[in-house]
Amino acid sequence: GDRSPVRRFNLNNVTITPDPIENQEVVLILTPMARFYQEYWDNLIKLDYPHELISLGFILPKNKEGNAATAALQAQVTKTQKGPLKDRFRSVVIERQDFDPPILSQDEGERHKIENQKARRSSMSRARNSLLFTTLGAETSWVLWLDADIIETPPSLIQDLAAHDKPLIVPNCYQRYTDPETGKPAERPYDFNSWQDSPTAQELASKMDPDDIILEGYREMATYRALMAYMADRVDERDVEVPLDGVGGTALLVKADVHRDGAMFPPFAFYNLIETEGFAKMAKRLGWAATGLPNYKVYHYNE
Ligand code: GDP
Ligand code: MN
């Protein structure tokens, strides 16, 4: 049959600006997904960035849970893409992983055991990289990494983060819960992977095997890093920026040029860091610094 003519792209014409709506910039939202949460989808479709400028990419493991999540996701995608034009996304790609995740329960307790971290986060890195390298297009201006269990963000998340004009920018990921003492709604920090480095962590790394990784948020490994999770202080100052050395990927906006330059999620120890934290380090080596917004909150599902 006929082959399509050559498609030409001048990457200089793909702008990446603090006013992405005005400049019609395409945002690629990438989500690794082990479980489907309706609250994630409901929040996603409420994002008020023009949907015709949003491409979606998902990757799901090829196991029983992944099959169920794929079916649920597929149903919602179909509903949205057949719905009102203004709600439809530019494009949607759903991928199944071609490698097996480590045999671990997806329960929070098991997932977070320190001895499971290297295998788990290495596998997560490979899933993220597969998704990224198969979906990043010449037209992509921004990549928003958004975990499948982020169930609440401001609808203006994309514009708000992009307005800071930073190569990598990460809001603070919290979790709502009911305080057992008072019975009242409360919130607590969830993601500890956004941090500023410390002399203690550097010292730890200097004595480590190059294949070992430093993990954050574990009593067994006191790093004395400054965690963004604990820097939230003023609800009325959502635009306060802090420089970061490590980032979490629950919600993370990246200028597509950072990925195009080659920054990815190391599935191995990179400067004793792995996955999203290793990504921040790799971006830094390429000249792109990470920024955090301690008072700008997004919320993780409470299992
Ligand atoms: P945690 O919140 O740090 O415990 O990490 P999660 O287990 O929530 O994983 C982060 C993201 O990756 C979530 O969106 C998960 O649904 C997804 N995820 C977890 N394990 C896998 C996996 O094996 N394969 C894929 N494709 N996604 C996964
Ligand atoms: Mn999670």
Coordinates of all heavy atoms in Angstrom, one line a residue, residues 31-35 37 59-61 63 97 101-102 106 108 111-112 120 123-124 127-128 146-149 190 193 250 275 300 303, ligand 1:
T31 N 1.6 7.2 33.1 CA 1.2 6.5 34.3 C 1.5 5.0 34.3 O 0.9 4.3 33.5 CB -0.3 6.7 34.5 OG1 -0.6 8.1 34.6 CG2 -0.8 6.0 35.8
P32 N 2.4 4.6 35.1 CA 2.6 3.1 35.3 C 1.4 2.7 36.2 O 1.1 3.4 37.2 CB 3.9 3.0 36.0 CG 4.3 4.3 36.6 CD 3.4 5.4 36.0
M33 N 0.8 1.6 35.9 CA -0.5 1.3 36.7 C -0.5 -0.2 37.0 O -0.6 -1.0 36.2 CB -1.7 1.7 35.8 CG -3.0 1.4 36.4 SD -4.4 1.9 35.4 CE -4.5 3.7 35.7
A34 N -0.5 -0.5 38.3 CA -0.6 -1.8 38.8 C -2.1 -2.1 39.2 O -2.5 -3.2 39.0 CB 0.3 -2.1 40.0
R35 N -2.8 -1.1 39.6 CA -4.2 -1.2 40.0 C -4.9 0.0 39.4 O -4.3 1.1 39.3 CB -4.3 -1.1 41.5 CG -3.8 -2.4 42.2 CD -3.9 -2.1 43.7 NE -3.6 -3.3 44.5 CZ -3.4 -3.3 45.8 NH1 -3.6 -2.2 46.5 NH2 -3.1 -4.4 46.4
Y37 N -7.7 2.8 40.0 CA -8.6 3.4 40.9 C -9.5 4.4 40.2 O -9.0 5.3 39.5 CB -7.8 4.2 42.0 CG -7.0 3.3 42.9 CD1 -5.6 3.3 42.9 CD2 -7.6 2.5 43.8 CE1 -4.8 2.5 43.7 CE2 -6.9 1.6 44.7 CZ -5.5 1.7 44.6 OH -4.8 0.8 45.4
I59 N 1.2 2.0 31.3 CA 1.9 0.7 31.2 C 1.4 -0.1 32.4 O 1.4 0.4 33.5 CB 3.4 0.8 31.1 CG1 4.0 -0.6 30.7 CG2 4.1 1.4 32.3 CD1 5.4 -0.6 30.2
L60 N 1.0 -1.4 32.1 CA 0.5 -2.2 33.2 C 1.2 -3.6 33.1 O 1.5 -4.1 32.0 CB -1.0 -2.4 33.0 CG -1.9 -1.2 33.0 CD1 -2.1 -0.6 31.7 CD2 -3.2 -1.4 33.7
P61 N 1.4 -4.2 34.3 CA 2.1 -5.4 34.3 C 1.2 -6.5 33.8 O 0.0 -6.4 33.8 CB 2.4 -5.7 35.8 CG 1.4 -4.8 36.6 CD 1.1 -3.7 35.7
N63 N 0.1 -9.5 34.7 CA -0.3 -10.5 35.7 C -1.8 -10.3 35.9 O -2.4 -9.5 35.2 CB 0.5 -10.3 37.0 CG 0.4 -8.8 37.5 OD1 -0.5 -8.1 37.2 ND2 1.4 -8.4 38.3
Q97 N 3.4 -4.6 30.0 CA 4.9 -4.8 30.2 C 5.3 -6.1 29.6 O 4.6 -7.1 29.7 CB 5.1 -5.0 31.7 CG 6.0 -4.0 32.3 CD 5.8 -4.0 33.8 OE1 5.1 -3.2 34.3 NE2 6.4 -4.9 34.5
P101 N 7.1 -8.4 36.7 CA 7.5 -7.7 37.9 C 8.0 -8.7 38.9 O 7.7 -9.8 38.9 CB 6.2 -7.0 38.4 CG 5.1 -7.6 37.7 CD 5.7 -8.3 36.5
P102 N 8.8 -8.2 39.9 CA 9.2 -9.1 41.0 C 8.0 -9.7 41.7 O 7.0 -9.0 41.8 CB 10.1 -8.3 41.9 CG 9.8 -6.9 41.5 CD 9.3 -6.9 40.2
Q106 N 1.2 -6.6 46.2 CA 1.1 -5.1 46.0 C 0.6 -4.4 47.3 O 0.4 -3.2 47.2 CB 0.1 -4.9 44.8 CG 0.8 -5.0 43.4 CD 1.8 -3.9 43.2 OE1 1.7 -2.8 43.7 NE2 2.8 -4.2 42.4
E108 N 0.7 -2.5 50.7 CA 1.6 -1.4 51.0 C 2.7 -1.9 51.9 O 3.9 -1.6 51.7 CB 0.9 -0.2 51.7 CG 1.8 1.0 51.8 CD 1.1 2.2 52.3 OE1 -0.1 2.4 52.1 OE2 1.8 3.0 53.0
R111 N 5.2 -4.0 49.9 CA 5.8 -3.2 48.9 C 6.9 -2.3 49.5 O 7.9 -2.1 48.9 CB 4.7 -2.2 48.4 CG 4.5 -2.3 46.9 CD 3.2 -1.6 46.5 NE 3.1 -0.2 47.0 CZ 1.9 0.3 47.4 NH1 0.8 -0.5 47.3 NH2 1.8 1.5 47.8
H112 N 6.7 -1.9 50.8 CA 7.6 -0.9 51.3 C 8.7 -1.5 52.2 O 9.6 -0.8 52.8 CB 6.9 0.1 52.1 CG 6.1 1.1 51.2 ND1 5.2 2.0 51.6 CD2 6.1 1.2 49.9 CE1 4.7 2.6 50.6 NE2 5.2 2.2 49.5
R120 N 12.1 -4.0 43.4 CA 10.9 -3.3 43.1 C 11.1 -2.1 42.3 O 10.5 -1.8 41.2 CB 10.1 -3.0 44.3 CG 8.7 -2.5 44.1 CD 7.9 -2.3 45.4 NE 8.2 -1.0 45.9 CZ 7.5 0.1 45.6 NH1 6.4 0.0 44.8 NH2 7.7 1.3 46.1
S123 N 12.5 -2.7 38.8 CA 11.4 -3.1 37.9 C 10.5 -1.9 37.5 O 10.1 -1.7 36.3 CB 10.5 -4.1 38.6 OG 9.3 -4.4 37.9
M124 N 10.3 -1.0 38.5 CA 9.5 0.3 38.2 C 10.2 1.1 37.2 O 9.6 1.7 36.3 CB 9.3 1.1 39.5 CG 8.2 0.5 40.4 SD 6.6 0.4 39.6 CE 6.5 2.0 38.8
A127 N 9.7 -0.3 33.8 CA 8.4 0.0 33.3 C 8.3 1.5 32.8 O 7.8 1.8 31.7 CB 7.4 -0.3 34.4
R128 N 8.8 2.4 33.6 CA 8.8 3.8 33.3 C 9.5 4.1 32.0 O 9.1 4.8 31.1 CB 9.4 4.7 34.4 CG 8.5 4.8 35.6 CD 9.1 5.8 36.6 NE 8.5 5.7 37.9 CZ 7.3 6.2 38.3 NH1 6.6 6.9 37.4 NH2 6.8 6.1 39.5
L146 N 2.5 10.7 36.5 CA 1.4 10.8 37.4 C 1.0 9.3 37.8 O 0.6 8.5 37.0 CB 0.1 11.4 36.8 CG -1.0 11.7 37.7 CD1 -0.7 12.8 38.7 CD2 -2.2 12.3 36.9
D147 N 1.3 9.0 39.1 CA 1.0 7.6 39.5 C -0.5 7.3 39.5 O -1.3 8.2 39.7 CB 1.6 7.3 40.9 CG 3.1 6.9 40.8 OD1 3.6 6.8 39.7 OD2 3.6 6.8 41.9
A148 N -0.8 6.0 39.4 CA -2.2 5.6 39.2 C -3.0 5.7 40.5 O -4.2 5.4 40.5 CB -2.2 4.1 38.7
D149 N -2.3 6.0 41.6 CA -3.0 6.1 42.9 C -3.0 7.6 43.4 O -3.2 7.8 44.6 CB -2.4 5.2 43.9 CG -0.9 5.1 43.9 OD1 -0.3 6.1 43.4 OD2 -0.3 4.1 44.3
Y190 N 3.2 11.5 52.3 CA 3.3 10.2 51.8 C 4.6 9.9 51.1 O 5.2 8.9 51.3 CB 2.1 9.9 50.8 CG 2.2 8.5 50.3 CD1 1.6 7.5 51.0 CD2 2.8 8.2 49.1 CE1 1.6 6.2 50.6 CE2 2.9 6.8 48.7 CZ 2.3 5.9 49.4 OH 2.4 4.6 49.0
N193 N 10.6 10.7 48.6 CA 11.7 10.7 47.6 C 12.1 12.0 47.1 O 13.0 12.1 46.3 CB 11.3 9.7 46.5 CG 11.2 8.3 46.9 OD1 11.8 7.9 47.9 ND2 10.5 7.5 46.1
T250 N 5.4 10.4 42.0 CA 3.9 10.3 42.1 C 3.3 11.4 41.2 O 2.3 11.1 40.6 CB 3.5 10.4 43.6 OG1 4.0 11.6 44.1 CG2 4.0 9.3 44.4
E275 N 15.7 4.7 40.2 CA 14.4 5.1 39.8 C 14.3 6.7 39.7 O 15.2 7.3 39.2 CB 13.3 4.5 40.6 CG 12.0 4.3 39.8 CD 10.8 4.4 40.7 OE1 10.9 4.4 41.9 OE2 9.7 4.5 40.2
H300 N -2.3 11.0 47.6 CA -2.2 9.6 47.3 C -3.4 8.8 47.9 O -3.8 9.2 49.0 CB -0.9 9.1 47.9 CG -0.5 7.7 47.4 ND1 -0.9 6.6 48.1 CD2 0.4 7.3 46.5 CE1 -0.4 5.5 47.5 NE2 0.4 5.9 46.5
E303 N -4.8 3.1 51.2 CA -5.2 1.7 51.1 C -5.9 1.2 52.3 O -5.3 0.9 53.3 CB -3.9 0.9 50.7 CG -3.5 1.2 49.3 CD -2.2 0.5 49.0 OE1 -1.9 -0.7 49.5 OE2 -1.4 1.0 48.2
Ligands
GDP1 P1 4.4 3.5 46.3 O1 3.2 4.5 46.3 O2 5.7 4.2 46.4 O3 4.3 2.4 47.2 O4 4.5 2.9 44.8 P2 3.4 2.2 44.0 O5 3.4 0.7 44.3 O6 2.1 2.9 44.2 O7 3.9 2.3 42.5 C1 4.1 3.5 41.8 C2 3.2 3.5 40.6 O8 3.6 2.4 39.7 C3 1.7 3.3 40.8 O9 1.1 4.1 39.8 C4 1.5 1.8 40.6 O10 0.2 1.5 40.2 C5 2.5 1.5 39.5 N1 3.1 0.1 39.6 C6 3.5 -0.5 40.7 N2 4.1 -1.7 40.4 C7 4.0 -1.8 39.0 C8 4.5 -2.8 38.1 O11 5.0 -3.8 38.4 N3 4.3 -2.5 36.7 C9 3.7 -1.3 36.3 N4 3.6 -1.1 35.0 N5 3.3 -0.4 37.2 C10 3.4 -0.6 38.5

